[in-house]
Every structure is written in structure tokens, then in C-alpha cells.
Amino acid sequence: MTFSELGICPEILEAIEVLGFETPSPIQEQAIPVALEGLDIVGLSHTGSGKTLAFSIPALESIDPSVRAVQVLCLAPTRELAVQICREVDKLALFLDGVSAAPIYGGASFGPQLAALKRGVQFVVGTPGRILDLMEQGELRTDNISMLILDEADEMLDMGFQEDIDRVVAQLPTPRQTLFFSATMSPAIRSLIDSLSENPTEISIERPVLTVPTCEQSVYEVVFSSRIEVLSRLIEMGRMKRGLVFANTKRVVDDIVDGLLARGYAVDRLHGDMPQTLRERVMDSFRKGCLNVLVATDIAARGLDIDDVDMVVNFELPREPEDYVHRIGRTARAGRKGRAVTFIGRRDFSLLARIERFVGVRMQREKVMTGTQVEQVRRESLVDDILELAAQAHDVPEELRDLEIDSEKLLTAMFNLLLQKTSRELQPIPEDRPSRYHRAADNAAPVDKGQDWSNLQETATLFMNGGKLLGIRPKDIAGLLYNEGGAPKGTIGDIRIFLKHSLIEVAPEVVQQLTTALSTCSVCGYEVNIREDKGRPEGGNARREFIPGGTRRAAASWQGKGSSYRPRRDESSYSSRNGRFRGDRDFREPRDYRAERPDRRKSR
Ligand code: AMP
């Protein structure tokens, strides 16, 4: 089944193509044609099933662009969900001229929300309380509303919105179409449905069991060129005794294997082009424990029957959430514990969020372990190994019997010798630096000369000197970049709009083209400039922490730190002019792996 078979209009089909969705999900397949006929729907489906598209597409099609008034009202339990739905609607409406959506939620100032209503948005997504407020103030007029959507209705009832919903619904005109979505069914939900709709078509999508709780899932933000090194560090720390590493292409699989072999690890590959006999041989070695690490593509791993993998590493984010589930399903099998580690780049945040929503788990953000931490764990692990062997050692070897040497000295020398023999020299990577703001691996030492790891996953940021104050929305910018800048599909990432400026993530290869074509251009009737955003230089005009009673330096001495005051971590790592602070906000300090190791010494 394809999207075009669902009866969707060409403008939305084009937007779906830009978004990169190829086939409709089951809820989309079942709900869209019914909703396009104008019928009511009750969809029982979970987050991650693609329900937002399932209701947004028919809703957008029901809108008359020439009418500048609210025509679709969508109620959602939280501000985050409302904003997220609006983003998807905006993307779908990329080629629908004169159609726009706005989120309306409590806890934020009324100004921008009223402005959006005055501007004539047709698709409003909001939390019930604020929607009701604006309706009662006469700011949100309901005369033209012909479709009501309830998203995550069970969540809204759990949050106590029943009365607000009833009051909102009471003010809506009839007849109207109602699309109702809930992850669960209960008597309260059933009676809400009955009060909203007479004979809705019910569509139920079973939630598959996606991931197991014994699998610990974490994420490292790592530039592509550092990933082999981080992978090696995971192996070095003994975190991966039998690991499966996934990459999206055969080429990257080959590069990983070459990189790890060059570092001396027992590793092999598995990809679709290999003859069956060779694949079986590799799997056999892996099963027998002759290989530490097996590197595979998704296709090659289908049907892989190995159930004691202790770690799965996603060297790259899979393109589809389903692949993530298949990949990590290789660990934590049969009640065992397992870990899934995923490497992401700056461009992957929205895909990561999509995967998280799909599996219904928020992965733990972690910072890459530094060389010093790896070294420390390695030393301790060596002591553990020595102690383990010591417990079984009985006879002193002949050669050591008559040595006239102090036993402490002997032990120290042996320890150093072992350390030297088992040590691998760590490569410096940009992630070792204290600041999280770095432009790719500009200044970092090359990781593995001779391999082409060049900037594959990097993004560049464009700066535009216009934002919310000019009424600019993401779709305006996306339209500008695609239509006037000639950006190829898939080269535009996150678009963030601030009061007076906007930041646009793009693939580095289109920076030159876009900054040349759009250095001066027009958006929403205003002339603006687009140039590459170089960010805020380190040590530059960093954000100041508010400290009561004086300047930062004064506060330092007030805290008794005097001249030894060191800037807070966020001062040095403050990234770019927008104040977004992704690295340190999302990413935890590296784990204390030592604390996680069983302390075998204590038990002796
Ligand atoms: P939802 O259930 O609406 O929260 O959607 C979950 C995620 O799946 C969102 O990030 C969507 O962008 C994505 N998605 C929705 N429909 C499709 C599709 N047909 N193919 C691939 N991804 C999709």
C-alpha cells in the first residue's frame, strides 16, 4: 500500500515525499480513507503508530484556505504534544498555500496565541483549559469549526480535563466530523466517545511488545569521525564482551571492521553481499566466542539466531524505528540483562525523538567516557583479573622461587608489564574536550588516517535575521530553502524560530549554494538575509549566570573562590547565539563505570 492509494491530494503527497515517509502505517492505512469520506473515527492506537499523520492529513484536506478562521480544533493533553502535532501539521502543509496551524496552551503568554488567531490560522491544536479560556473570551471563534480531533483522550481524562472537554464540545457547531484517538479503552472513554459521535468507525491497532525492561538503552552524542574510538573505548572497558554493532550500509560496516581490526580486536562482518557459507562461518565464530564483535547491516542481521549478546551498538541511528527495535532485540534475551548504546550526531535529534516515541522509552543521555576514565577502569579491571587468578594460584613457578627481590617491587613490575602489554593507546577525540561546542573534528587529531570518515553526519547551521516577530513559521523557511534556494530533498534539518532570528540546520554541502542564493531574500513579505551561523566564539560573550548581589567575579570572591574561580561548565560550553544548550542539558556526566563493577576485592 502506498500513500497515493489512500486518496490524498497531490500537495500533501508531495510533502509526505519530502518528509521521506514511504509507506503508510497501519493506522494511516485504515483511518485516512475513512476520514477523507467525512466519517467519524475512533482510533485505538499508541504513540509511535503514526496517528498524528492519520488525523492531520484528512484534517488539512477539510480546510478551505480562503477562509481565514479556525476550521479544525485538535485537543491534546500537554503543551509538548500540542507543539509536536503543530510541527507535523506545518510540515504536511508545506505545499498548501494559505493553510497554517498554531499551538495554544496554558502557562504561556496569550500574546502570540491571540496573534495567531487574529492572523486567521485554520488548524488549532491546544490543551483543553486554554482553548476553553479563549473560547469564553470570544477570541477563539467556533463558527467555522467543522472538525474536532481528540488526541490521547485517555491521557486527557487522566489529567482531569473531562469537564473542560465537555464545555469546549458544547460550544462547537454541528454537524461536524470527530476523530478520536486513545491508547486505551475504559468506561469513561466509551461514554466520552458516545457523547461525541453516533456511529464512529472503530480502528484498533495492537501495540506490539517493543523493548524489554532488562535492556538498558543509552545515547552518546558523538561526531561520526569519533565513533570508532568510542566503540573501542567501550570494548576496552570490558563493556562489550560479545557485542553486535549495527551500521546502515555495507561501506560503513567495512570501515568499522577495518578500524577495529587495525586496533587489534577480534571482529568480523556480516552483510548481505556475502555468500551464505561465509556468513555461516562468521556466525559460527561469533557463537563460539572467537569474535568479540560482529558488525552487521540490518538486512544481514535478519534471522540471526544468537541470544547471548551483551551489548548492541547502533553505530548509526537506523532510518526506521522498527529497525531500532529489531537491532536491540538481539540483547537482553531470555531474561538476561543487556545494553543498547546508540551513537547520534547533531542532525539526528528528531529521528531519535521519533524512535523514542515509537518504543515508548526515553533513552539515557550519556557523555562519552574520557581517556582518563577508560584508563582508570582498565587498571582496575587488571587488578580484578589478577585477584581472580591469585585465588586459584598455588605453586610458585620454578623461575620465581629463588629471586631475591622485594615482593611489592615484583608485584608492581608485573602490574606495569601487564598494563603495558594490554594497553591500547587511546586516540584523542573532540568529545574529550571540556566544551561540547565544536565544529566537527576541525582541530581534533585524525582518528584513523587513510579512512574516509569525513563529516558524513555533520550539519551546518544557517542564521536568518527574521523570526517570530515577523510571523515566520518553519514551513515558510522550508519553502524558501527548497523552492528558491533549490535545496535537494533531505538536506534541511531542524528549523528553530526565535523572536528576531531563526536557525536552520542543513547538510554542509548545501551551505554555499543556499547562502549564495539566499544572502538577501524575501520571506512573509519581509526582506531578510541568510548566512552561515558561526556560533558564539568560545570565551566570547557567554551567558552570565544570575548571581544575586553583583557581578560574576564579585560573586566568585564572595563564595570564597577568589582568583581561583573557574567558569561554570555551561559558560565555556555555551553553544551558538540562540542560547540552545543541547549538549549539557541533555547529556549526563559519564557514568561511573567503576561503581557498577562488582567489587570482588571486598568479598575476599
Ligand atoms: P505518532 O504516532 O504520530 O507520534 O508518530 C510517530 C513517529 O512516526 C513520528 O515521528 C512520525 O514522523 C513517524 N511516522 C508517521 N508516519 C510514518 C510513516 N508512514 N512512515 C514512517 N514514519 C512515520
Side-chain angles (χ1 to χ4, degrees):
M1 172 75 75
T2 61
F3 279 105
S4 54
E5 290 169 67
L6 299 179
I8 300 169
C9 69
E11 291 83 0
I12 296 183
L13 284 177
E14 207 178 336
I16 292 173
E17 209 190 320
V18 170
L19 286 171
F21 300 148
E22 280 162 11
T23 45
S25 68
I27 185 84
Q28 291 160 3
E29 215 174 283
Q30 295 179 54
I32 292 174
V34 179
L36 284 175
E37 274 181 51
L39 301 174
D40 287 358
I41 282 179
V42 169
L44 288 179
S45 66
H46 51 275
T47 303
S49 59
K51 62 187 166 52
T52 314
L53 243 73
F55 62 71
S56 302
I57 292 173
L60 280 169
E61 294 219 5
S62 76
I63 289 173
D64 177 352
S66 64
V67 178
R68 310 292 299 172
V70 182
Q71 297 168 52
V72 173
L73 175 64
C74 174
L75 298 180
T78 62
R79 159 197 184 137
E80 288 74 22
L81 185 59
V83 170
Q84 187 189 312
I85 294 171
C86 271
R87 275 203 201 118
E88 292 224 8
V89 171
D90 267 341
K91 288 183 198 159
L92 286 170
L94 187 62
F95 302 106
L96 291 173
D97 282 343
V99 177
S100 60
I104 288 199
Y105 45 80
S109 74
F110 280 89
Q113 303 181 358
L114 292 176
L117 291 172
K118 288 212 167 63
R119 211 172 51 229
V121 288
Q122 296 101 337
F123 198 136
V124 160
V125 187
T127 48
R130 177 60 67 94
I131 294 278
L132 185 62
D133 275 358
L134 291 177
M135 277 182 173
E136 288 178 343
Q137 289 167 25
E139 301 285 356
L140 197 167
R141 299 187 57 87
T142 58
D143 330 27
N144 288 284
I145 295 179
S146 56
M147 183 184 283
L148 169 68
I149 300 165
L150 279 94
D151 193 15
E152 302 200 353
D154 47 352
E155 192 80 20
M156 286 198 278
L157 293 195
D158 285 349
M159 291 169 77
F161 282 133
Q162 169 89 57
E163 200 189 322
D164 287 350
I165 295 173
D166 292 343
R167 286 169 64 192
V168 166
V169 172
Q171 299 192 42
L172 300 181
T174 48
R176 57 158 197 272
Q177 189 178 3
T178 304
L179 310 183
F180 187 102
F181 289 83
S182 174
T184 54
M185 180 54 83
S186 66
I189 296 281
R190 178 55 67 195
S191 87
L192 181 62
I193 294 169
D194 292 344
S195 72
L196 292 174
S197 180
E198 270 195 5
N199 224 341
T201 303
E202 294 207 11
I203 298 165
S204 176
I205 306 292
E206 289 275 308
R207 182 182 188 113
V209 178
L210 293 179
T211 57
V212 291
T214 48
C215 177
E216 200 185 304
Q217 301 173 54
S218 49
V219 179
Y220 290 106
E221 190 187 357
V222 194
V223 295
F224 205 74
S225 56
S226 299
R227 292 184 186 178
I228 291 267
E229 174 60 22
V230 178
L231 189 56
S232 310
R233 291 182 188 186
L234 286 169
I235 303 174
E236 282 298 309
M237 292 171 79
R239 307 280 305 159
M240 201 192 316
K241 294 210 166 59
R242 185 186 297 232
L244 252 180
V245 177
F246 282 98
N248 294 345
T249 62
K250 175 176 158 299
R251 207 200 102 210
V252 178
V253 166
D254 287 340
D255 288 343
I256 299 170
V257 172
D258 293 348
L260 292 180
L261 283 174
R263 286 165 159 82
Y265 300 116
V267 33
D268 213 334
R269 76 205 78 202
L270 210 58
H271 53 63
D273 293 352
M274 289 162 58
Q276 188 59 25
T277 44
L278 187 55
R279 286 162 55 147
E280 269 161 22
R281 215 179 308 146
V282 172
M283 300 237 306
D284 215 37
S285 304
F286 188 60
R287 268 195 214 99
K288 285 184 184 147
C290 310
L291 296 173
N292 283 139
V293 179
L294 189 56
V295 188
T297 55
D298 293 289
I299 297 170
R302 294 266 148 87
L304 199 76
D305 187 24
I306 297 171
D307 65 5
D308 51 357
V309 169
D310 51 34
M311 190 188 290
V312 168
V313 176
N314 294 304
F315 196 84
E316 306 174 277
L317 259 188
R319 294 182 192 115
E320 296 302 329
E322 289 85 352
D323 285 332
Y324 176 84
V325 175
H326 284 138
R327 287 180 180 187
I328 76 161
R330 309 283 166 192
T331 185
R333 283 192 173 184
R336 290 194 191 90
K337 280 190 170 177
R339 276 197 79 196
V341 171
T342 300
F343 295 161
I344 59 161
R346 294 169 64 206
R347 208 166 150 184
D348 292 331
F349 279 83
S350 58
L351 178 54
L352 177 70
R354 216 174 97 205
I355 294 174
E356 287 186 324
R357 255 180 283 124
F358 183 76
V359 288
V361 171
R362 181 171 157 80
M363 300 172 211
Q364 200 64 255
R365 272 63 172 162
E366 290 188 19
K367 280 190 185 170
V368 169
M369 45 286 170
T370 62
T372 320
Q373 287 165 324
V374 175
E375 188 56 35
Q376 187 61 34
V377 173
R378 200 153 56 178
R379 293 172 74 90
E380 303 216 348
S381 138
L382 190 56
V383 175
D384 280 348
D385 291 347
I386 292 173
L387 287 173
E388 196 166 299
L389 281 177
Q392 303 153 17
H394 298 298
D395 302 326
V396 179
E398 180 82 45
E399 295 79 358
L400 295 181
R401 261 181 217 156
D402 303 320
L403 292 183
E404 288 186 5
I405 183 168
D406 173 61
S407 62
E408 271 192 15
K409 275 195 177 158
L410 182 64
L411 208 57
T412 311
M414 287 168 111
F415 180 76
N416 289 338
L417 183 68
L418 273 174
L419 205 58
Q420 207 183 328
K421 284 201 183 284
T422 56
S423 280
R424 183 188 67 81
E425 199 183 327
L426 296 177
Q427 307 269 1
I429 49 175
E431 287 76 7
D432 291 334
R433 287 189 269 168
S435 164
R436 293 208 56 82
Y437 186 60
H438 47 261
R439 287 226 154 243
D442 283 346
N443 308 314
V447 168
D448 211 354
K449 284 203 181 107
Q451 288 180 31
D452 181 18
W453 291 107
S454 54
N455 284 351
L456 273 178
Q457 297 284 305
E458 289 306 316
T459 56
T461 307
L462 300 184
F463 172 86
M464 186 175 94
N465 61 343
K468 285 184 186 156
L469 281 183
L470 303 184
I472 295 172
R473 295 151 308 162
K475 70 174 193 169
D476 300 320
I477 298 182
L480 179 74
L481 299 181
Y482 283 121
N483 300 332
E484 282 171 47
K489 273 176 201 160
T491 54
I492 311 292
D494 274 2
I495 297 178
R496 286 163 291 143
I497 303 197
F498 302 86
L499 216 54
K500 295 180 185 164
H501 73 278
S502 306
L503 293 173
I504 310 137
E505 281 191 6
V506 298
E509 63 268 24
V510 295
V511 169
Q512 180 71 37
Q513 171 190 341
L514 293 175
T515 48
T516 308
L518 305 170
S519 70
T520 302
C521 54
S522 154
V523 63
C524 296
Y526 295 93
E527 190 179 290
V528 292
N529 309 111
I530 292 185
R531 59 176 164 75
E532 191 175 3
D533 178 56
K534 297 288 183 196
R536 184 172 290 192
E538 290 206 25
N541 187 18
R543 182 171 57 177
R544 297 276 182 254
E545 180 192 10
F546 173 71
I547 301 171
T551 64
R552 187 163 57 85
R553 214 157 255 301
S557 53
W558 164 67
Q559 286 167 346
K561 291 190 175 134
S563 57
S564 67
Y565 172 78
R566 277 179 297 151
R568 281 160 49 96
R569 195 158 43 88
D570 55 349
E571 287 173 359
S572 59
S573 61
Y574 186 72
S575 77
S576 96
R577 70 189 66 244
N578 63 355
R580 195 159 70 134
F581 203 24
R582 184 189 274 160
D584 286 337
R585 188 191 61 219
D586 277 1
F587 283 76
R588 299 194 307 172
E589 286 299 327
R591 302 151 65 116
D592 183 358
Y593 288 103
R594 277 174 289 143
E596 290 174 21
R597 299 174 68 85
D599 192 347
R600 287 189 242 148
R601 271 162 287 185
K602 275 190 196 144
S603 60
R604 290 195 184 102

